[in-house]
Amino acid sequence: MKILLVEDDRTIASGLEYSLQQDQFDTALCHDAASAKKIITEELDEISLCLFDLSLPDGSGYDLCKMAKARRDIPVIFLTAIDDEVNVVMGLDMGADDYITKPFRIRELLSRIKSVLRRYPAHNPAAKQTIQIGHILVNTLEGKVYKNGSEIQLTALEYRLLLIFSNHIGQVLSRNQLLERIWDVAGDFVNDNTLTVYIKRLREKLEDNPQEPTIIKTVRGLGYKVGD
């Protein structure tokens, strides 16, 4: 399992890289945004999780998170020296899965990495490659979705949206979080109205009664949730 580590402080980066490798993780280490963007563009399929420092000499972890999440639903943890609620909320709204404030204990970071990875079956070798949500079965290996045993046809963006929900069962995802994680097939940003349309289309295909959804539930004032 390979982790993309982006940290401009070379002393911290070296220590983190050593600790991750000691815990059996492969690493791709970058000290600036430019080199990280190259890996995100060319090698993201080989990466299981991203660790992004928020403050970089030529950019920010926010930009890298947005870029990585636009390509696929990959786990992201922010490393920040700023214990500031606004920055933390902004990062989580952009789709980050967790954050940790420096200085931190390496054991705590490793624990958070493993906790986040457990929520992403596609990147967790020990996890099942099928996800059951009520009468819906998502086969992540085949990229297929079944309702009551019969395959249902989803568009690429509908499947991506369902996969995001499937990887976060039981968690409430805000509209902002969903918007940051889904882009259309041309790479264009999906706006709020379009998200509403895709939620509606997914419900029409997945739910027995789309007017009273039991798969994709609305959590009033917060967003959406799949599962208990």
Side-chain angles (χ1 to χ4, degrees):
M1 204 172 288
K2 193 171 189 177
I3 290 179
L4 172 57
L5 170 61
V6 186
E7 168 61 66
D8 65 324
D9 186 314
R10 292 177 181 268
T11 301
I12 293 176
S14 178
L16 283 176
E17 183 179 42
Y18 174 79
S19 298
L20 289 169
Q21 290 175 353
Q22 287 295 107
D23 211 62
Q24 309 305 313
F25 289 107
D26 292 328
T27 55
L29 174 60
C30 299
H31 298 296
D32 53 44
S35 55
K37 287 177 180 178
K38 189 172 188 299
I39 289 181
I40 291 171
T41 301
E42 300 175 2
E43 304 175 35
L44 195 64
D45 286 345
E46 301 173 15
I47 303 298
S48 296
L49 179 141
C50 300
L51 287 175
F52 293 146
D53 187 14
L54 275 185
S55 301
L56 297 166
D58 58 342
S60 76
Y62 296 130
D63 298 330
L64 297 179
C65 177
K66 185 174 182 178
M67 185 178 179
K69 291 284 189 179
R71 280 156 177 76
R72 68 179 174 86
D73 192 30
I74 187 170
V76 172
I77 297 177
F78 280 136
L79 308 175
T80 175
I82 311 166
D83 192 9
D84 181 271
E85 186 177 356
V86 173
N87 286 303
V88 168
V89 170
M90 187 186 303
L92 295 176
D93 280 347
M94 289 186 69
D97 297 272
D98 203 351
Y99 73 96
I100 188 165
T101 306
K102 304 173 191 174
F104 51 80
R105 294 180 179 178
I106 189 65
R107 195 171 292 178
E108 180 185 0
L109 176 61
L110 290 170
S111 174
R112 295 205 186 191
I113 287 172
K114 290 168 184 176
S115 175
V116 168
L117 283 171
R118 280 195 293 271
R119 304 204 297 262
Y120 282 75
H123 307 293
N124 181 2
K128 295 180 180 178
Q129 298 302 324
T130 58
I131 305 166
Q132 188 80 42
I133 312 165
H135 54 264
I136 301 299
L137 178 71
V138 182
N139 189 314
T140 58
L141 284 179
E142 297 178 353
K144 294 181 179 180
V145 179
Y146 301 87
K147 178 180 179 180
N148 295 323
S150 299
E151 184 179 354
I152 56 175
Q153 299 300 318
L154 300 182
T155 66
L157 204 135
E158 288 168 352
Y159 177 74
R160 177 164 174 72
L161 183 58
L162 178 59
L163 203 57
I164 293 168
F165 281 125
S166 300
N167 285 331
H168 298 82
I169 289 176
Q171 298 177 46
V172 177
L173 296 175
S174 70
R175 292 181 67 86
N176 281 340
Q177 286 176 310
L178 293 170
L179 285 167
E180 288 294 343
R181 293 174 187 224
I182 56 170
W183 294 59
D184 72 15
V185 290
D188 297 323
F189 188 68
V190 175
N191 64 35
D192 194 64
N193 290 335
T194 307
L195 176 61
T196 299
V197 171
Y198 276 105
I199 293 284
K200 182 175 182 291
R201 287 180 182 173
L202 257 185
R203 282 174 166 166
E204 288 172 349
K205 293 181 179 182
L206 302 179
E207 305 282 358
D208 289 335
N209 182 359
Q211 303 306 316
E212 298 181 8
T214 60
I215 302 295
I216 302 175
K217 305 169 188 173
T218 298
V219 182
R220 192 172 298 279
L222 295 176
Y224 303 95
K225 182 175 77 166
V226 165
D228 297 328

